[in-house]
Amino acid sequence: MQHLTELRKLLANYSTHSVAGWCFLYHMRISHGDESQKRLTSPAKQIPFLFSVLLSTPEPAPPSDFGEPEWERVRPILEKLFFAYMRLYMPTKDQLGNIAPEWYRVREVSMLAFLHYFNSGLLASTQQIEERIRTYLIPFDNELSECLGISASQALSIFQWISHRLQKTFDGLHELARAEREARLNFLKKAEDKQWALETLRAAASTSVYMEKAERLFSEMDKIGIVSLDDLERDFPGIASIFWQLFSVQRGDAPEIRYPTEQSIYEVRPLVRISEREAFCTVANGLFTALLLVGERTLLQSRYRDKFLRGRDKALEAEALTKIKALLSPDATIWSEVYETPDSQYEHDIIAIDNGLCLIVEAKASPPIEPFRDPDKAFIRLKDFFRADRGIQKAFEQGNRVVNKLKNGEVIPLYDKDGRPVGQLLPDSSRLPVSVCVTRDNFGALATNLSLLLEKDIDDSYPWVVNIIDLSNFVEAWSYFKWGPSEFKKYLEQRIVLHGKVFSDDELDYTGFFIRHGSFVPAIEAHADLLQLAPQYSSIFDELYNHLYLGGPPVTVEQTRPLLMDLKRSIATDEPVFVKVGGQSTSHKKIGRNERCPCGSGKKYKRCCLGVKQ
């Protein structure tokens, strides 16, 4: 690919240390909300790809430093590379005007699945990734020690040690920068008060407290992001060298990467060596993700594969049970691992009754399947996987069987695995029956917009499909706002009618909308072909995380009525078309890129609906 060749030639000129340092700075700017920084569309995938290209080239002699001008040359190339695949799903000139509706459906499903699979990383906090390691890998410590020479517990301890050291170094640097600024301002004020001449100023500066603090600041800046093998061997004797070989990589040792869709070596070896005994870490979150990827891949390729898969299924069921319980009242009736017949037919992972709700919950631990680049082949593969026994379609059919029986007035007896009766479900018109599928991994639009692939009768209700990490965030928000089963029932009752009408590939965008507006009714009643939820809706979960774990301010929400944009008509007119609830669409005058977005998000238009429309 031309763009890849261009990127490789460009990166080959720069030192590993300066590129790693710039990427560290990029992550810090983004995490602190620096709007002056032009953002990558998918940094979780584009930064690892950049490193994979860099690491496949030798260290130049002599190397150049990588900075802002170089980044402004690299960033557009990364964007072009990652969106080049979208052309696979667009009609050619010859095809235009002679395309059946099924052609569009095939490409819509394939494109959304492809872009989600290859452009989205694990959308989880460091704490959530650590918890996933404890849940899915640490029970296999002995097996991993046999396969890798180091257990998940040992590797996790080292990564936690690295993360703590990096944070401590950064906090110290922040304090030194504050002290340097204070000393500099005091020195300049003293010079101004005494009206020093330039020569006097220079002489005084060389011996001032400010110079001492400045030199210390610059010295510590060179240490930011650095991990030393000597330190690891001192604190983790016996396993440090094994860890170093597994999770660090030397420039020039990586294979040449050919496509953005290939596995990035940086994703599994996030410590980039800048010498034999020192490495650079650009972002702590990537450390724990690497352990998760390496650990699970190792178990899946080992003789313990079947044991791991069984453990993975049971672990997800236990996680789902804990989260569902947290959303219900203490008086809720909950069964786990129950059957509709005494001979263990028609199993259900969880059934719960509470406050006007009946939840039939099925847990599916299989991750999304990799889509083919060919749209037609990808569609067939995605559809087959979606309908498989471990897929979302199967979960829906399991739950929908109970939902329909209850709607038809049938009594459903429940039995445990030994055939003993444990209870029964009684039809109750005041109780909303909902089929729920909890997945371990994020399926993007295939889960949030079930109209794409789910097969159901016209009278059947859609299920609620949510991945376990989003469900964890959902539970945390419910707890923070002191909501309970009545709000949960309202959410589900309205959420399951949005498929095909309101779109986002992130369930937390829907939840953020509900939290900020108190209801989905405005979206349900809007006269529009397709409403696109702004990705800023999920930012409320960033605010909650900042408050609950980082000492940020409390999160308060003043619920408002939303201003909604019709995505299809906005694209067609190249202007935002906003929709009045219960009324017709109304086009607004052209909006400046730096003006506040009229959707009410509080963001600039270029950071909100303009970005969605583009």
Side-chain angles (χ1 to χ4, degrees):
M1 297 172 70
Q2 177 185 349
H3 297 311
L4 179 56
T5 302
E6 182 183 358
L7 179 64
R8 184 175 287 113
K9 287 181 179 179
L10 181 61
L11 291 175
N13 298 315
Y14 301 104
S15 72
T16 308
H17 195 172
S18 66
V19 175
W22 174 261
C23 290
F24 178 89
L25 179 62
Y26 173 83
H27 282 299
M28 294 307 301
R29 286 179 173 178
I30 294 301
S31 65
H32 285 80
D34 184 355
E35 288 202 6
S36 67
Q37 182 67 52
K38 292 182 180 178
R39 303 193 178 199
L40 292 169
T41 303
S42 182
K45 288 293 184 179
Q46 288 166 299
I47 295 280
F49 177 75
L50 180 151
F51 273 107
S52 291
V53 176
L54 176 78
L55 293 167
S56 68
T57 66
E59 186 77 28
S64 301
D65 286 336
F66 188 92
E68 181 86 36
E70 291 74 28
W71 173 252
E72 284 307 314
R73 292 175 63 191
V74 163
R75 186 185 58 79
I77 300 175
L78 288 173
E79 293 288 274
K80 291 174 184 176
L81 279 165
F82 273 73
F83 282 90
Y85 289 100
M86 291 187 70
R87 290 196 294 270
L88 295 172
Y89 307 97
M90 302 302 174
T92 63
K93 290 182 180 180
D94 294 336
Q95 291 171 321
L96 285 173
N98 190 31
I99 300 175
E102 183 65 11
W103 189 95
Y104 285 105
R105 177 172 179 257
V106 164
R107 275 146 185 80
E108 180 182 22
V109 170
S110 300
M111 179 176 68
L112 290 171
F114 185 93
L115 294 179
H116 175 77
Y117 187 92
F118 290 111
N119 287 2
S120 299
L122 180 57
L123 303 177
S125 67
T126 300
Q127 289 90 335
Q128 288 172 325
I129 301 173
E130 287 187 47
E131 186 58 36
R132 179 163 283 205
I133 291 167
R134 294 188 188 95
T135 301
Y136 294 97
L137 291 186
I138 286 180
F140 294 89
D141 266 351
N142 292 335
E143 291 83 354
L144 287 169
S145 290
E146 177 188 312
C147 296
L148 298 175
I150 186 171
S151 71
S153 295
Q154 291 170 325
L156 179 59
S157 294
I158 296 176
F159 278 139
Q160 289 172 327
W161 179 90
I162 292 172
S163 180
H164 176 73
R165 287 283 292 264
L166 293 176
Q167 186 62 50
K168 187 177 179 181
T169 301
F170 180 75
D171 291 342
L173 188 65
H174 186 270
E175 179 57 30
L176 284 173
R178 185 202 60 78
E180 182 273 338
R181 183 177 185 277
E182 181 179 336
R184 174 164 38 87
L185 293 176
N186 289 338
F187 177 75
L188 292 174
K189 186 176 186 304
K190 182 177 179 181
E192 183 180 3
D193 291 343
K194 295 191 175 184
Q195 296 184 343
W196 282 343
L198 182 59
E199 289 302 319
T200 306
L201 181 66
R202 287 174 175 168
S206 63
T207 58
S208 68
V209 173
Y210 160 69
M211 186 57 68
E212 176 188 338
K213 292 184 181 297
E215 288 175 350
R216 188 178 173 195
L217 172 64
F218 292 130
S219 174
E220 291 299 313
M221 285 179 68
D222 288 336
K223 301 177 185 177
I224 197 76
I226 299 296
V227 179
S228 166
L229 178 56
D230 292 338
D231 292 341
L232 287 175
E233 288 177 335
R234 184 190 64 242
D235 288 7
F236 300 94
I239 58 172
S241 59
I242 298 172
F243 173 88
W244 194 255
Q245 289 301 315
L246 273 174
F247 294 105
S248 73
V249 58
Q250 184 80 37
R251 185 165 179 180
D253 289 347
E256 188 171 294
I257 195 165
R258 296 176 298 167
Y259 303 103
T261 53
E262 291 181 40
Q263 172 74 67
S264 164
I265 193 170
Y266 177 78
E267 290 181 293
V268 293
R269 294 188 174 192
L271 299 176
V272 179
R273 292 184 214 163
I274 56 176
S275 69
E276 282 300 318
R277 302 189 68 81
E278 284 189 326
F280 200 103
C281 174
T282 61
V283 57
N285 209 8
L287 301 175
F288 302 99
T289 304
L291 173 54
L292 195 62
L293 290 171
V294 170
E296 292 193 348
R297 184 179 65 184
T298 299
L299 291 169
L300 287 170
Q301 294 174 350
S302 75
R303 62 192 179 96
Y304 302 110
R305 173 185 172 84
D306 291 341
K307 181 181 178 181
F308 171 68
L309 291 176
R310 289 193 299 271
R312 188 179 70 179
D313 290 344
K314 290 299 181 184
L316 178 62
E317 290 170 17
E319 275 193 290
L321 179 60
T322 299
K323 302 306 179 186
I324 292 296
K325 278 184 176 179
L327 290 167
L328 304 178
S329 73
D331 298 327
T333 301
I334 302 175
W335 298 277
S336 60
E337 196 181 346
V338 291
Y339 303 82
E340 293 182 41
T341 67
D343 59 346
S344 300
Q345 297 294 311
Y346 305 117
E347 181 187 7
H348 302 288
D349 294 328
I350 304 165
I351 293 181
I353 299 173
D354 186 36
N355 196 26
L357 267 177
C358 177
L359 305 177
I360 305 93
V361 184
E362 311 298 341
K364 299 296 180 183
S366 294
I369 197 167
E370 179 179 339
F372 292 124
R373 292 183 181 88
D374 180 276
D376 295 296
K377 292 180 179 179
F379 179 78
I380 294 171
R381 192 178 202 213
L382 290 165
K383 187 169 62 172
D384 289 345
F385 180 77
F386 193 87
R387 296 173 180 174
D389 284 346
R390 294 175 178 270
I392 293 173
Q393 179 74 38
K394 181 65 174 180
F396 161 72
E397 292 169 357
Q398 289 174 276
N400 194 55
R401 172 187 173 84
V402 174
V403 171
N404 283 338
K405 279 190 171 186
L406 291 175
K407 287 180 177 178
N408 292 332
E410 297 182 43
V411 176
I412 305 173
L414 300 175
Y415 303 87
D416 67 14
K417 62 181 179 180
D418 296 318
R420 295 172 298 201
V422 295
Q424 59 182 1
L425 296 178
L426 302 175
D428 184 342
S429 60
S430 67
R431 190 177 292 153
L432 175 70
V434 181
S435 173
V436 177
C437 175
V438 179
T439 63
R440 196 187 77 125
D441 296 286
N442 191 332
F443 282 76
L446 300 189
T448 60
N449 183 14
L450 294 170
S451 67
L452 292 170
L453 279 181
L454 191 79
E455 294 184 354
K456 70 179 190 67
D457 292 338
I458 192 169
D459 294 329
D460 290 337
S461 299
Y462 279 107
W464 185 46
V465 181
V466 61
N467 70 76
I468 193 66
I469 290 175
D470 285 353
L471 182 58
S472 176
N473 292 325
F474 187 98
V475 169
E476 199 164 68
W478 244 243
S479 174
Y480 181 82
F481 292 113
K482 296 182 171 55
W483 290 353
S486 59
E487 290 86 359
F488 186 35
K489 177 184 177 182
K490 179 181 177 182
Y491 181 90
L492 291 178
E493 193 169 24
Q494 297 175 6
R495 172 67 182 93
I496 60 179
V497 303
L498 296 180
H499 297 278
K501 172 70 179 293
V502 179
F503 178 78
S504 170
D505 65 354
D506 186 348
E507 183 64 28
L508 296 184
D509 285 336
Y510 291 90
T511 311
F513 183 100
F514 186 87
I515 291 171
R516 293 196 184 280
H517 305 303
S519 170
F520 288 121
V521 170
I524 294 170
E525 295 181 349
H527 291 187
D529 295 326
L530 180 65
L531 295 171
Q532 168 78 51
L533 294 183
Q536 283 75 20
Y537 274 118
S538 60
S539 65
I540 193 167
F541 292 95
D542 297 327
E543 296 170 25
L544 280 172
Y545 182 85
N546 187 45
H547 169 64
L548 295 173
Y549 300 102
L550 302 177
V555 179
T556 58
V557 175
E558 182 180 346
Q559 291 181 344
T560 60
R561 290 184 68 81
L563 188 61
L564 303 169
M565 185 179 75
D566 188 321
L567 179 63
K568 288 184 177 178
R569 280 181 278 178
S570 295
I571 292 173
T573 62
D574 199 32
E575 291 292 338
V577 178
F578 294 96
V579 181
K580 291 182 179 178
V581 178
Q584 72 278 8
S585 303
T586 175
S587 296
H588 285 240
K589 67 179 180 64
K590 189 172 183 65
I591 302 166
R593 292 173 57 84
N594 292 310
E595 292 180 30
R596 293 295 171 188
C597 187
C599 77
S601 67
K603 300 286 185 179
K604 291 182 179 180
Y605 179 49
K606 66 182 179 182
R607 300 284 188 198
C608 192
C609 291
L610 177 63
V612 170
K613 185 163 70 70
Q614 291 178 329

